[in-house]
Amino acid sequence: MELSGASGPFDPSAVETRAELATALRALRQRCGLSIERMVRAAGRLPQGSGRLARSTISDIEQGKTLPQQDTFRAFLLVCEVPPDAVPGWLAAWERASTAHLPRPASAVRVRDAEPRRLGVHAAIVIGNQDDDLPEYVTRDVDDVIRALLNEAARSGGFLLLMGGSSVGKTRMLFEALRSRMTDWWLLYPAFGAEVATLVQARPARTVVWLDELQRYLDGPRRLTAATVRALLAAGVVVVGTIWPREYDARMATADVGGADEADNRVLLDLATTVVVAAAFTEAEMARAKELARVDGRLDLAVRASDLGVTQVLAAGPDLQRRWEHADDPYGEAVITAAIDARRLGMQAPLAREHLAAAVPGYLTSVQQANASADWLDRALAYATAKVRGAASALIPDSGGVMGQVVGYRAADYLLQRGFETRRSGVLPETAWAALVSYPTDPVDIRRLAYSADTRWRYTYAIPLYRKLAAAGDEGAARRLADIVSNRNPRQAIAALHPFRETAYIVGQLTELMAGIDDVAGLRQAAEDGDLVAGCRLVDLLGATDLDQVRAAAGCGNQLALGWLIDHDGDDQHLSQLRDRADAGDRLARGRLAEALASRQQVDQAIALLATSADRGDSLAPYHLADLLIRHGRISELQERADAGDIAAEAAGDLTVVRGGHIACRVAGALADHGDPDTAIAILTAHAAAHVELADDYLIDLLVTCDRIDLLRDRAATGEWSSNQRLVTLAAARGDIKELRKLEAEGNWFATQQLVEAMIEQGQLSEAVDHLRARSAAGDELAARRLPDLLVDDGREDELRSLAQTDPWYASGCWARYLATLDRLDEGIQWLSDQRGPGADVAASELADLLVQQGHIDDALDILRPFTTGYGDGPSVNRLVTLLADHERIVDLRIEVNAGASGAMEQLLHVLLQQGAIDTGTVDRTHQEGVTASWPHDGSSP
């Protein structure tokens, strides 16, 4: 073994095993002219706290009998006077030798031996005769933070995630940090998420799991799960990864796009310590880049073109951009655009040749189509896959893991990022949509594509995509499919839902669909099978068409029929009793009274009753009123209430809900009055389980009325919000502070709010702040929301600012608003502008509000628009759409529909209807059919 080298008198870089370390240490001592006795005496003179060397210890080390502890090893190096700059090399040798006997993860390499290109580090541009080695690394300002986090993770496991746009240098940054801090750890670069799970059983030591482009591991049947990551961290494994902000925001969005898998994605991302990597170099970073540019021509070019971004230039990004956007080959340009559009709408699998052949024609003019050569696709792919500056291509061939084959093509990261910006509202041709329906096979891709078509109101394409998912057992897809087709063809909706009829929510939706087409046979069969929701709808339907059947069923002991008849046959005294109870605050009686009045053709009185209750603060009345207005065709009145700020009315016009809670209220309330509370509770429980609108609140009212607080507590224990809220309301009404504290200890978030309000009323503001702080630290989300405002009230400016730096969801916006109240609006705007990573979406919405206050509407819109490039949901998207509607920006609303912004089409229809530009028939048609592929360019309405 060669021991002489560049790192000092002896080079330990060849040491791998304990035996080799022993040989190296013995040679080091002998070359230094030290006997064992002299080493022992010299060690005795080392500063206190240094390791000690006994004769037997040195002998055992040099014979390889024992591996020295690190402090003993350092003492050995000190006595041998190893230069400080050579010590890290010896420590690395000790690291390798200490772990050589441990199991090596399959396919893992040492970090120092990893090839950066294989890990995802971008190839750099080629200039002149310069080879394709990586350019000099420009130290970034955040490097110290990243390396400190790696040091911490190395002690007991950790998950470090770098977030930034394409070609900003995050992968290179992570690679350099690992080489600096964990050079002799094992590094595993898995092909898919499930491969990571195999590490959990092996419990490897000193191992890094490399997850560049983390989003690739989060989808599909072999995806990485939060449970796997937790197990790895518990075993001391270090997980590192990179991700785009768009991917992060889409997966952390509040909207539940796909169910359990997406929820698990959010939990997994929460496990990571996320560091944001800025796209632009700071002044200090640019100064370091210019210094290195003297010896690296590639850096010199990048620095001189710094307006394009140093790292982006190095990755040949601008050249790729020019090759796409200013192509001299229309077929090559169209192939690239089709690939970018497919990825933009959610298809992450590589696009097969057949997919591109089907999609591309719509991107070409008729003349270009006619002039296409027989080998147009081959030529287009050759153009798109040609290397730019010897480093990168617009489209990247994908082998699917098999040598010598191409299964498809992916767009380069830099072009994808560019495409997300420039084509965020691009209108896809019909051929592109048709190809996206026909060729994808990955269920996760299909789900994303279906959602993208749905939010853009391209129902022609959303329907077959949802059908594919429903046929594969996707319940959420079946529900949404039923929502879309129910107005045009309810029987198709019933067929889509029927395979999932055992699911509670599906039960309610199926029942409503059957009731909507007067399917007495279907409802009767479901009722005979024990479906209480169907039974209630059946008796209500028969009551309107064949009252004798209802009376006969009641005579045979059918409790549902009996309850319905009790309310239906009630005389004036019955109505008077209901009115007395309603006036006394009984919401169950108020609901029954409103329905009884409506059934007697006294709809105006029913509406007035519920409107008065809503105006007096009854939280249930607005939803009951909206339901009543819809059922009786009073849509203009519903719209008036929505325009006046009634949230329930606004939601009712936009959302498809399962109705029928009013019927359950009548039947259950009548049976409870008739002395059968158990059946009444069972009816409303079944409706609540089926997510029938109003049923939850009516059930809670019934439990309180029947003094079944035990059942109310059982529901609250499941985390159901309404029950928890009612328990707190009851305790607060009694002034029972002891009960409130008990509820809080049990995890009831609403109890905390009541306790805090009580403290404030008693002048204990500081105590309330301390209480909220403790609850927030324990994970109480409502406490976290309330705390920043109380810090303002208590004048704790420094604490609020400190909290704003760590809590981007609530405190950050509160801090900006607080600055605005102090006439420091510019400072508040700058604060929100600087927010990145988690909470950036919320910050954008808050920032827009401040800009609107200044009258800078267009600036506010520019801040909000980028957040519709993902799934198109969240605070900033909602604020964007509302702002455009408030200012009647019709063209912009159409743009946002094509960008996939949630709620944009509803707002567009509302504004156009108010302006008289369309009629209600157009609104209904659009809700039923959606829009064409080329809308609005084809001139179709709306």
Side-chain angles (χ1 to χ4, degrees):
M1 181 177 63
E2 180 61 47
L3 293 178
S4 62
S7 65
F10 308 108
D11 184 358
S13 63
V15 170
E16 293 288 343
T17 66
R18 292 188 180 191
E20 290 173 346
L21 182 64
T23 300
L25 291 174
R26 182 170 62 252
L28 176 64
R29 176 181 61 79
Q30 292 172 349
R31 294 287 182 90
C32 292
L34 293 171
S35 66
I36 292 180
E37 289 77 8
R38 286 182 61 190
M39 284 200 73
V40 172
R41 289 196 298 273
R45 294 192 294 272
L46 291 174
Q48 187 175 4
S50 301
R52 289 291 177 260
L53 294 171
R55 179 183 178 84
S56 59
T57 301
I58 297 172
S59 177
D60 287 346
I61 290 173
E62 291 188 357
Q63 294 179 44
K65 292 182 178 180
T66 62
L67 184 76
Q69 296 295 319
Q70 198 170 87
D71 59 345
T72 304
F73 184 67
R74 286 180 178 275
F76 196 108
L77 299 179
L78 283 171
V79 170
C80 291
E81 298 182 347
V82 173
D85 61 344
V87 170
W90 282 98
L91 291 175
W94 177 88
E95 175 78 43
R96 294 192 296 275
S98 67
T99 59
H101 65 291
L102 298 173
R104 169 184 174 178
S107 73
V109 298
R110 296 288 189 186
V111 168
R112 59 185 162 84
D113 296 327
E115 296 184 21
R117 290 287 301 280
R118 291 189 178 182
L119 296 179
V121 177
H122 283 300
I125 55 177
V126 177
I127 297 179
N129 296 324
Q130 209 158 16
D131 60 28
D132 61 353
D133 286 345
L134 293 178
E136 294 290 330
Y137 178 65
V138 180
T139 303
R140 305 293 294 270
D141 294 347
V142 77
D143 279 349
D144 288 342
V145 173
I146 293 172
R147 296 175 189 199
L149 290 170
L150 283 179
N151 288 340
E152 182 181 347
R155 287 192 284 272
S156 58
F159 183 5
L160 175 62
L161 183 63
L162 301 193
M163 178 167 61
S166 171
S167 303
V168 300
K170 55 189 182 296
T171 306
R172 177 77 185 274
M173 188 181 301
L174 194 56
F175 172 70
E176 295 292 343
L178 285 177
R179 284 208 302 190
S180 169
R181 291 295 185 266
M182 309 173 78
T183 183
D184 288 290
W185 280 48
W186 293 112
L187 184 142
L188 179 68
Y189 188 7
F192 46 83
E195 184 179 334
V196 183
T198 61
L199 279 179
V200 176
Q201 301 300 323
R203 298 183 67 82
R206 321 292 282 182
T207 299
V208 179
V209 177
W210 178 274
L211 302 176
D212 189 42
E213 295 188 40
L214 178 64
Q215 67 273 5
R216 297 189 296 113
Y217 298 89
L218 301 181
D219 297 324
R222 299 190 294 178
R223 68 182 181 82
L224 180 65
T225 66
T228 295
V229 174
R230 282 200 191 94
L232 290 175
L233 302 185
V237 171
V238 173
V239 181
V240 298
T242 65
I243 195 168
W244 290 2
R246 181 178 301 105
E247 292 287 351
Y248 185 96
D249 292 339
R251 294 169 192 280
M252 293 294 285
T254 54
D256 186 0
V257 173
D261 289 357
E262 281 68 20
D264 190 70
N265 279 181
R266 290 191 284 275
V267 174
L268 184 150
L269 291 172
D270 275 334
L271 295 173
T273 299
T274 304
V275 176
V276 177
V277 179
F281 273 26
T282 65
E283 290 185 11
E285 290 169 341
M286 186 60 75
R288 293 192 287 270
K290 289 178 179 177
E291 186 67 26
L292 291 173
R294 297 177 181 179
V295 296
D296 193 314
R298 291 164 295 184
L299 269 175
D300 182 56
L301 175 62
V303 167
R304 284 188 285 108
S306 58
D307 57 315
L308 298 175
V310 173
T311 54
Q312 291 88 338
V313 172
L314 290 174
D319 293 298
L320 291 179
Q321 180 181 327
R322 284 190 289 272
R323 191 166 180 81
W324 172 40
E325 295 179 347
H326 303 286
D328 56 6
D329 180 346
Y331 308 100
E333 177 186 350
V335 162
I336 297 168
T337 305
I340 290 172
D341 277 349
R343 176 64 180 81
R344 186 168 59 86
L345 294 185
M347 187 169 177
Q348 294 190 358
L351 269 64
R353 179 187 176 90
E354 296 77 14
H355 184 145
L356 289 169
V360 164
Y363 290 94
L364 301 168
T365 67
S366 60
V367 174
Q368 289 168 340
Q369 292 174 9
N371 291 337
S373 62
D375 61 347
W376 72 267
L377 184 57
D378 290 329
R379 290 173 176 270
L381 288 173
Y383 176 89
T385 57
K387 294 285 187 181
V388 174
R389 290 182 177 258
S393 59
L395 292 190
I396 302 167
D398 192 296
S399 69
V402 178
M403 295 289 289
Q405 77 168 9
V406 176
V407 299
Y409 301 87
R410 303 175 187 271
D413 283 354
Y414 184 81
L415 288 188
L416 283 177
Q417 179 168 296
R418 174 72 175 172
F420 271 102
E421 295 169 357
T422 62
R423 289 191 57 77
R424 60 181 291 273
S425 59
V427 177
L428 271 67
E430 186 176 355
T431 57
W433 279 115
L436 289 172
V437 170
S438 300
Y439 290 97
T441 58
D442 182 347
V444 181
D445 277 356
I446 295 173
R447 183 181 300 122
R448 281 191 291 257
L449 292 169
Y451 183 85
S452 293
D454 192 353
T455 57
R456 289 162 175 79
W457 288 57
R458 267 63 179 193
Y459 294 157
T460 299
Y461 311 104
I463 288 171
L465 289 167
Y466 279 131
R467 279 206 180 104
K468 285 185 179 182
L469 294 169
D474 188 324
E475 175 195 312
R479 289 205 311 264
R480 182 55 190 150
L481 173 60
D483 288 341
I484 295 174
V485 303
S486 59
N487 287 331
R488 66 173 83 174
N489 195 327
R491 295 196 182 278
Q492 283 187 8
I494 292 171
L497 293 174
H498 195 261
F500 307 95
R501 59 189 177 279
E502 300 300 324
T503 305
Y505 182 91
I506 300 295
V507 167
Q509 205 166 0
L510 271 172
T511 297
E512 182 169 0
L513 287 166
M514 289 188 289
I517 59 174
D518 295 344
D519 186 358
V520 173
L523 289 171
R524 179 175 284 115
Q525 182 60 57
E528 290 174 356
D529 292 339
D531 181 351
L532 292 175
V533 180
C536 281
R537 296 305 292 264
L538 175 63
V539 297
D540 192 58
L541 183 59
L542 291 175
T545 59
D546 194 344
L547 189 57
D548 289 340
Q549 278 199 53
V550 180
R551 296 190 189 282
C556 294
N558 185 310
Q559 292 297 95
L560 297 176
L562 177 63
W564 190 92
L565 282 174
I566 292 171
D567 243 34
H568 179 269
D569 293 340
D571 54 17
D572 290 341
Q573 183 178 1
H574 169 73
L575 289 180
S576 177
Q577 291 171 343
L578 286 177
R579 193 179 298 279
D580 290 342
R581 287 167 53 191
D583 292 342
D586 186 335
R587 297 196 304 176
L588 195 70
R590 185 180 300 126
R592 290 171 60 198
L593 175 60
E595 292 301 330
L597 292 171
S599 67
R600 288 165 172 77
Q601 307 306 315
Q602 300 176 34
V603 179
D604 289 340
Q605 292 91 323
I607 291 173
L609 172 67
L610 292 174
T612 300
S613 299
D615 294 341
R616 290 176 179 174
D618 181 350
S619 60
L620 175 59
Y623 293 94
H624 193 156
L625 175 57
D627 181 62
L628 184 71
L629 290 171
I630 289 173
R631 285 186 285 117
H632 289 273
R634 309 283 280 266
I635 305 302
S636 60
E637 294 173 59
L638 181 70
Q639 190 60 59
E640 289 174 6
R641 294 193 63 85
D643 293 341
D646 186 324
I647 297 176
E650 183 178 355
D654 295 342
L655 301 178
T656 301
V657 296
V658 179
R659 307 196 183 279
H662 54 285
I663 302 169
C665 163
R666 293 181 60 188
V667 173
L671 287 174
D673 290 347
H674 201 61
D676 190 359
D678 290 340
T679 303
I681 291 170
I683 291 168
L684 283 174
T685 299
H687 280 74
H691 299 279
V692 176
E693 192 179 36
L694 312 176
D696 267 335
D697 282 301
Y698 282 145
L699 173 58
I700 291 169
D701 285 340
L702 183 61
L703 293 176
V704 173
T705 300
C706 297
D707 198 26
R708 294 303 306 270
I709 306 302
D710 56 329
L711 295 180
L712 187 60
R713 288 187 182 278
D714 289 344
R715 287 181 60 81
T718 67
E720 197 270 317
W721 279 47
S722 297
S723 298
N724 277 285
Q725 205 165 20
R726 182 57 67 87
L727 283 173
V728 169
T729 302
L730 291 172
R734 298 193 304 268
D736 193 340
I737 301 299
K738 182 178 180 181
E739 175 67 8
L740 286 174
R741 292 192 180 279
K742 177 175 179 291
L743 290 170
E744 182 186 53
E746 292 172 353
N748 189 314
W749 294 352
F750 301 103
T752 299
Q753 304 303 305
Q754 286 288 351
L755 285 172
V756 165
E757 294 306 320
M759 291 178 184
I760 294 172
E761 289 179 5
Q762 296 171 12
Q764 301 173 352
L765 182 56
S766 294
E767 290 83 349
V769 170
D770 294 340
H771 191 69
L772 278 179
R773 189 190 301 110
R775 292 291 299 172
S776 178
D780 186 330
E781 186 177 356
L782 289 182
R785 292 182 184 181
R786 186 78 173 92
L787 177 59
D789 289 325
L790 256 63
L791 290 175
V792 172
D793 294 343
D794 204 27
R796 302 193 191 188
E797 179 177 318
D798 291 342
E799 186 174 347
L800 176 60
R801 179 183 176 87
S802 177
L803 183 62
Q805 293 172 337
T806 58
D807 174 15
W809 302 107
Y810 309 114
S812 187
C814 186
W815 170 247
R817 292 192 300 274
Y818 173 69
L819 291 174
T821 64
L822 301 179
D823 293 328
R824 294 160 62 186
L825 182 59
D826 289 344
E827 188 178 342
I829 288 174
Q830 187 60 51
W831 170 267
L832 290 171
S833 299
D834 292 340
Q835 298 307 297
R836 297 291 186 274
D841 186 16
V842 177
S845 182
E846 299 272 6
L847 173 56
D849 286 339
L850 292 182
L851 290 171
V852 169
Q853 290 175 21
Q854 287 191 315
H856 300 320
I857 306 300
D858 289 326
D859 290 339
L861 295 173
D862 289 340
I863 290 293
L864 297 169
R865 282 193 182 97
F867 289 89
T868 56
T869 57
Y871 281 122
D873 202 354
S876 60
V877 176
N878 294 335
R879 187 70 185 96
L880 168 64
V881 170
T882 301
L883 195 56
L884 291 174
D886 290 344
H887 291 81
E888 299 187 355
R889 306 277 282 263
I890 302 300
V891 173
D892 286 324
L893 280 172
R894 288 194 176 104
I895 289 173
E896 294 311 318
V897 172
N898 281 321
S902 178
M905 180 60 88
E906 288 89 348
Q907 292 283 16
L908 173 63
L909 293 172
H910 170 59
V911 173
L912 290 174
L913 189 62
Q914 276 194 324
Q915 291 179 346
I918 59 174
D919 55 22
T920 55
T922 301
V923 173
D924 293 340
R925 178 191 57 76
T926 306
H927 274 281
Q928 290 182 21
E929 300 176 6
V931 295
T932 63
S934 52
W935 175 90
H937 300 335
D938 60 5
S940 61
S941 186

